[in-house]
Amino acid sequence: MIGWGVTMLALAGPAATTLDSVQVQAARVRAVDDADLPASMTTLDVDAQGNGRGALVSEALAGVPGLLARERQNLAQDTQLSIRGVGARSTFGVRGVRLLVDGVPATMPDGQGQLSHFNLLGAERIEVLRGPFSTLYGNASGGVVQLWSGDGRAGDPWRLRAAVGGNDSHSLGLQLKGATPALRYNVAANHYRTQGWRAHSAARRESLNARFGMDLGPERTLELVVNALEAPHAQDPLGLSREQAQAAPRHAAAVATAYDTRKSVHQAQAGAVYTQQRDQRTWRTMAYAGQRTVEQYLAIPPAAQASPLHSGGVIGLDGGYGGIDTRWAWQATLAGRPLELVLGANADRQRQHRTGYENHVGEVLGIKGRLRRDQHDRVANLDQFAQAWWRIGPRWSLLAGARHSRVRFRSDDHYIVPGNPDDSGRRDYTATTPVAGLVFRANEVLRLYASAGRGFETPTFNELGYRADGGAGLALDLAPATSRTVELGGKWRFRTGARLDLAVFRADTEDELAVATNRGGRSSYRTIGATRRQGVELEWRRPLGETQELQLAWTWLQARVREAYLTCTGLPAPCTVPSATVAAGTALPGVPRQYLQARWQWRPGAWQLAAEGTASAATVVTDLGDARAPGYGLLNLEAARQWSTAQGALRVFARVDNLLDRRYIGSVIVNDGNGRYFEPGPDRTWTLGVQWQWAVR
């Protein structure tokens, strides 16, 4: 879970007896081109010359096939992130996709993660891994997103960046980056505030990310990573019905203002990585720890909280987490050809105090009332892994691995009153997930590959939190989802700098988890049986002369139910006994059939000009497939100009999003029990900013 970093041999070039070893993260070899790996991978350079707000990670995730990052115009809820349809059902946070920052996990042992503390100001690149090799990251790894901060070097400039935009939004950031004889550093702090495009969506975020590197001696290094986030009182406008979204897309749901729905998050964490290389062996140990506090006010009416089993309309989460990861890599030969073996283990633990309170006192709504829930939750995993790479011929290479995971959940209930019994419980999940891939070097520009693997996904504590039948206790009957994934692909790298990646994939899942009911900000889940996600991804980049570049990312994805099952409609009242049939072949909600992103960029001299286009097919929003958000197409423009001065480089930039002022649904809330499925996207908005970089002497 910490990030399956391994040491591997370079795959490119002619056969050799030994090659330099490189520290990597799960199938990603930094010193080797992605074309020589049997996996779908995209590396996004986080350009210091970016022209957006610089505060939301979704700005940097455009142009990755298979990945969908939808901003919800609601900073009380995280970016809606999915990879190949995995994670699309999530109504809060990120699940089913592994997230890491500088190798430190932003995903907890149960599979629940968040993007809110990803700091773009200090970032150098974002790596996105899709397909079977994602399973090497352990539980709930339908894909992997890693943000890496740049390593400080002597002479790096410091920079100050400020931007203002529509909806009374502004951001201010400072990055200090460089190196001394004893220390490499990259410290980035950012402030962002907005009134929000929709009513009742004002929010503020302060984030800090610091990375320090030290050389402890010959072939020994230590890196320290510190990360913090403050996001107090982010307002939640909730979703809208179709009629509301059409008539007044900027409005908030009436209950959002009545109950003052909002969320506060405070998080701080730190990690350390020690690496030592000696001869043909590498040892690497990572440890991290953090603290996270969340308080969220929901729009649950007092009448619904009358039941003694109800846990109230205010959620409180407070707890710590941490873990350790260690691995050993050995470089050798087998049958006269390069071989590398990696062995390792990691353990992670999260302790969380979960409380619930009524969201009213008497007739006054939106304030904390009586205690209705008090429990201590613990989740821990213990994983062991092995991976081997072997060049089996001059034009062939094999990469194979396996991971054994054990995830243990335990909840101790301290709120025991008449009508509400002791809800304590525990559940363990175990799985072994193998994966293998073969690469064939057809010629100097073309690589062909095939890969296959198994994966598994436990419920998160949020999904275990409420039983679908409305009864007391955790939903300990939920089974883990298991998947089988296969992928075939080709990668072309032309001498002109152009590149083309094509992948065809299929993932069959058993015991898929789906939303049972979603009402009043509370979701319960059930196991629905078998599903299938299959599709095609295309990524194309082509330089146009010395100053222009064209990028294209296209995804065709068919996500369907393979076995019929019963579900609840959710309207007009909460449902605990499913009676509506979801037929085999019904589309899974939250997943558009096609998604296209294109970007043209031109850098004539000191100028930078760019145009972006995004198009999405319609998105089903219920399990029954009886409602959907319409497709849309958007156009964005950018322009920037830079001047060199005696005090440093000064750059002014501007961006216009949704230039044609189209109305569209930017994200959806799957299976919302109130029929408020839609979160409208903003109309034409603008950003104007300035950046100053100066040398440190």
Side-chain angles (χ1 to χ4, degrees):
M1 195 276 288
I2 293 180
W4 183 265
V6 300
T7 304
M8 295 176 56
L9 296 175
L11 304 178
T17 56
T18 59
L19 294 173
D20 292 338
S21 60
V22 181
Q23 196 69 29
V24 302
Q25 305 292 321
R28 178 64 174 97
V29 186
R30 298 184 204 174
V32 176
D33 192 277
D34 294 348
D36 293 297
L37 300 173
S40 292
M41 307 187 68
T42 300
T43 298
L44 300 169
D45 294 328
V46 182
D47 195 344
Q49 312 305 322
N51 300 320
R53 290 167 289 183
L56 305 176
V57 72
S58 59
E59 298 176 6
L61 288 175
V64 180
L67 181 147
L68 191 60
R70 287 173 155 174
E71 273 309 321
R72 312 181 69 165
Q73 309 309 311
N74 176 2
L75 293 184
Q77 305 294 340
D78 219 331
T79 301
Q80 199 169 63
L81 182 71
S82 63
I83 292 181
R84 294 183 175 178
V86 176
R89 75 168 184 268
S90 179
T91 56
F92 48 86
V94 177
R95 66 107 56 256
V97 177
R98 282 280 156 179
L99 307 174
L100 300 100
V101 178
D102 289 325
V104 176
T107 299
M108 296 297 101
D110 65 346
Q112 185 77 39
Q114 59 279 328
L115 286 164
S116 52
H117 67 288
F118 275 41
N119 187 306
L120 288 181
L121 191 65
E124 179 183 70
R125 69 187 188 279
I126 297 176
E127 297 175 356
V128 180
L129 173 64
R130 312 176 296 283
F133 275 91
S134 301
T135 195
L136 291 180
Y137 284 79
N139 172 35
S141 297
V144 182
V145 177
Q146 300 194 72
L147 181 143
W148 293 97
S149 303
D151 197 16
R153 296 179 297 271
D156 280 341
W158 292 5
R159 63 172 171 148
L160 180 67
R161 190 181 191 277
V164 297
N167 310 311
D168 193 21
S169 64
H170 63 268
S171 63
L172 179 65
L174 174 65
Q175 181 188 26
L176 310 179
K177 185 181 178 186
T180 68
L183 181 70
R184 302 181 301 277
Y185 61 91
N186 181 357
V187 181
N190 194 76
H191 162 83
Y192 176 67
R193 182 190 292 269
T194 181
Q195 286 301 309
W197 181 71
R198 293 179 59 196
H200 196 72
S201 62
R204 174 170 63 90
R205 283 183 179 177
E206 275 87 32
S207 65
L208 169 72
N209 193 79
R211 177 180 176 183
F212 305 96
M214 293 168 278
D215 295 325
L216 303 181
E219 300 182 319
R220 291 186 297 140
T221 63
L222 177 65
E223 288 196 343
L224 303 177
V225 179
V226 178
N227 189 286
L229 169 73
E230 289 287 326
H233 306 300
Q235 295 177 329
D236 186 348
L238 305 179
L240 299 176
S241 68
R242 181 182 299 277
E243 295 73 21
Q244 292 170 331
Q246 291 174 342
R250 299 193 66 166
H251 286 192
V255 292
T257 53
Y259 288 86
D260 191 15
T261 49
R262 61 197 185 272
K263 182 179 180 180
S264 296
V265 179
H266 308 277
Q267 178 174 309
Q269 63 184 36
V273 182
Y274 173 78
T275 305
Q276 178 175 326
Q277 291 181 299
R278 181 176 300 173
D279 299 326
Q280 305 301 315
R281 297 172 177 82
T282 301
W283 290 266
R284 180 177 183 269
T285 299
M286 174 193 294
Y288 73 99
Q291 187 78 19
R292 182 175 174 87
T293 302
V294 178
E295 184 178 64
Q296 184 171 12
Y297 286 73
L298 306 175
I300 300 177
Q305 301 173 57
S307 167
L309 299 178
H310 203 282
S311 56
V314 180
I315 298 173
L317 303 173
D318 185 12
Y321 56 89
I324 187 168
D325 175 284
T326 185
R327 75 281 310 256
W328 170 82
W330 177 48
Q331 181 179 319
T333 60
L334 178 64
R337 297 191 179 278
L339 169 73
E340 184 153 313
L341 177 65
V342 181
L343 301 175
N346 76 275
D348 307 276
R349 188 174 186 181
Q350 179 185 8
R351 300 172 64 93
Q352 182 172 268
H353 184 203
R354 180 188 291 262
T355 54
Y357 300 85
E358 294 179 348
N359 59 358
H360 65 96
V361 175
E363 297 184 356
V364 181
L365 305 178
I367 60 175
K368 185 183 293 186
R370 293 185 303 164
L371 179 70
R372 300 296 300 273
R373 187 173 195 169
D374 184 4
Q375 67 189 53
H376 285 85
D377 299 332
R378 284 177 284 179
V379 58
N381 74 280
L382 178 62
D383 292 14
Q384 307 85 37
F385 50 82
Q387 179 169 303
W389 176 87
W390 185 33
R391 187 187 297 281
I392 58 179
R395 302 170 70 181
W396 294 86
S397 60
L398 173 68
L399 178 64
R403 188 180 189 106
H404 176 77
S405 301
R406 182 174 186 179
V407 185
R408 314 184 76 173
F409 292 84
R410 178 174 175 177
S411 180
D412 295 317
D413 187 9
H414 303 292
Y415 182 77
I416 304 170
V417 298
N420 190 329
D422 188 347
D423 298 332
S424 301
R426 60 185 300 166
R427 179 72 189 268
D428 291 0
Y429 300 93
T430 60
T432 299
T433 52
V435 63
L438 190 66
V439 177
F440 173 63
R441 181 173 180 148
N443 53 46
E444 290 299 318
V445 300
L446 173 62
R447 313 291 191 272
L448 302 175
Y449 71 91
S451 58
R454 296 182 62 87
F456 90 114
E457 180 180 12
T458 70
T460 68
F461 246 126
N462 285 322
E463 291 163 340
L464 292 170
Y466 308 103
R467 287 172 45 175
D469 62 5
L474 301 178
L476 298 177
D477 59 327
L478 293 179
T482 58
S483 61
R484 302 181 306 277
T485 304
V486 295
E487 180 176 321
L488 300 174
K491 304 181 183 183
W492 290 261
R493 300 293 185 268
F494 301 97
R495 293 184 176 87
T496 61
R499 56 176 288 174
L500 175 66
D501 291 6
L502 178 67
V504 181
F505 61 89
R506 171 179 286 182
D508 289 333
T509 302
E510 303 290 338
D511 295 327
E512 177 95 20
L513 284 177
V515 174
T517 59
N518 184 4
R519 192 172 181 86
R522 174 167 297 150
S523 299
S524 63
Y525 296 81
R526 63 166 48 94
T527 300
I528 64 171
T531 61
R532 171 172 291 167
R533 297 170 176 87
Q534 59 185 1
V536 181
E537 295 173 353
L538 175 69
E539 181 179 2
W540 180 50
R541 299 184 184 185
R542 176 180 174 82
L544 303 174
E546 297 293 329
T547 60
Q548 299 183 61
E549 184 180 52
L550 184 63
Q551 301 176 12
L552 179 70
W554 171 71
T555 304
W556 178 84
L557 177 61
Q558 184 186 66
R560 294 190 177 277
V561 174
R562 289 195 293 141
E563 296 178 358
Y565 67 96
L566 297 178
T567 189
C568 292
T569 61
L571 293 172
C575 163
T576 58
V577 180
S579 58
T581 300
V582 179
T586 303
L588 292 175
V591 183
R593 177 67 67 90
Q594 295 192 70
Y595 195 70
L596 174 69
Q597 296 172 302
R599 179 180 174 88
W600 167 80
Q601 185 168 276
W602 183 31
R603 295 179 182 263
W607 285 89
Q608 176 193 0
L609 305 172
E612 290 181 351
T614 300
S616 174
T619 302
V620 174
V621 298
T622 67
D623 285 334
L624 292 170
D626 54 359
R628 64 183 58 208
Y632 60 85
L634 305 176
L635 176 64
N636 313 315
L637 294 181
E638 297 179 4
R641 175 70 160 84
Q642 182 164 304
W643 293 267
S644 297
T645 72
Q647 287 74 38
L650 181 66
R651 184 171 180 273
V652 176
F653 57 90
R655 178 180 170 96
V656 179
D657 289 284
N658 192 6
L659 178 70
L660 302 180
D661 203 22
R662 301 293 191 188
R663 279 196 173 186
Y664 70 103
I665 301 299
S667 60
V668 299
I669 304 173
V670 171
N671 288 327
D672 183 81
N674 298 286
R676 297 193 295 260
Y677 309 116
F678 307 105
E679 295 179 301
D683 53 17
R684 184 187 300 117
T685 57
W686 58 273
T687 301
L688 179 64
V690 60
Q691 177 174 279
W692 175 39
Q693 292 180 288
W694 71 96
V696 180
R697 291 178 170 74

